[in-house]
Amino acid sequence: NLVLTAGFTVISSVNYPGGEALQSLHNLENGESNVTVHLDVAACQTGVSRFLELNRNWKYDKTENLSAKELLDRNSHLLLSAESLDSYKMRLIKDNFDVIGESTGASLLRKYWPLRFPRFLAAGQKILILRKKKVS
């Protein structure tokens, strides 16, 4: 029973890439005070919650259906699904933001898991952490 509990605890802990990405952003940008971070739907559905909004000097935005231009104009940082960044309409984001981190969630287990079971390991959600490029 203890082994199963420990195993399922590890699996569930990596099943929330959005929450992991927000925690990583806090670690990466710890000294920054003027941060506005947009959290897309995929990040919010995979672990981001109000409890992870740790820096009261930061602004956290969960507005849906923003255009790439609106994302660029309003935010210094983005947490986005990797799939959404691959779309053509996100070219403006690719040109103006750098990927500074990623959270792979359960797909991390695929690398080390020796079995094909459980099946949920085949599906993975990758959340990217982006920072607006500095204008020089």
Side-chain angles (χ1 to χ4, degrees):
N1 193 14
L2 181 63
V3 172
L4 283 175
T5 301
F8 285 124
T9 300
V10 169
I11 290 170
S12 67
S13 71
V14 297
N15 202 30
Y16 298 100
E20 182 183 323
L22 186 54
Q23 288 178 327
S24 294
L25 177 62
H26 282 113
N27 292 333
L28 291 166
E29 302 293 344
N30 191 22
E32 298 293 323
S33 59
N34 191 20
V35 171
T36 303
V37 58
H38 175 75
L39 310 161
D40 81 346
V41 173
C44 292
Q45 289 178 338
T46 59
V48 170
S49 74
R50 294 278 182 206
F51 295 110
L52 294 176
E53 296 179 5
L54 302 177
N55 192 324
R56 59 179 191 223
N57 295 320
W58 290 14
K59 294 179 184 158
Y60 300 89
D61 177 39
K62 296 180 181 181
T63 306
E64 295 183 34
N65 301 318
L66 296 176
S67 69
K69 175 89 170 100
E70 289 171 313
L71 288 171
L72 175 64
D73 291 343
R74 294 182 183 186
N75 301 287
S76 62
H77 294 75
L78 307 172
L79 265 61
L80 298 177
S81 165
E83 290 83 24
S84 68
L85 191 62
D86 288 336
S87 69
Y88 177 75
K89 69 178 187 172
M90 296 301 272
R91 184 180 178 123
L92 185 64
I93 299 302
K94 289 181 190 178
D95 293 343
N96 291 283
F97 283 82
D98 291 319
V99 175
I100 60 170
E102 67 179 43
S103 177
T104 56
S107 61
L108 173 69
L109 289 178
R110 266 189 285 171
K111 203 186 259 187
Y112 304 106
W113 191 258
L115 308 172
R116 290 185 167 275
F117 181 80
R119 283 192 118 193
F120 72 86
L121 294 179
Q125 180 81 39
K126 184 189 292 187
I127 304 295
L128 299 176
I129 306 166
L130 296 99
R131 175 178 49 211
K132 191 180 284 187
K133 292 179 180 178
K134 305 279 187 210
V135 179
S136 40

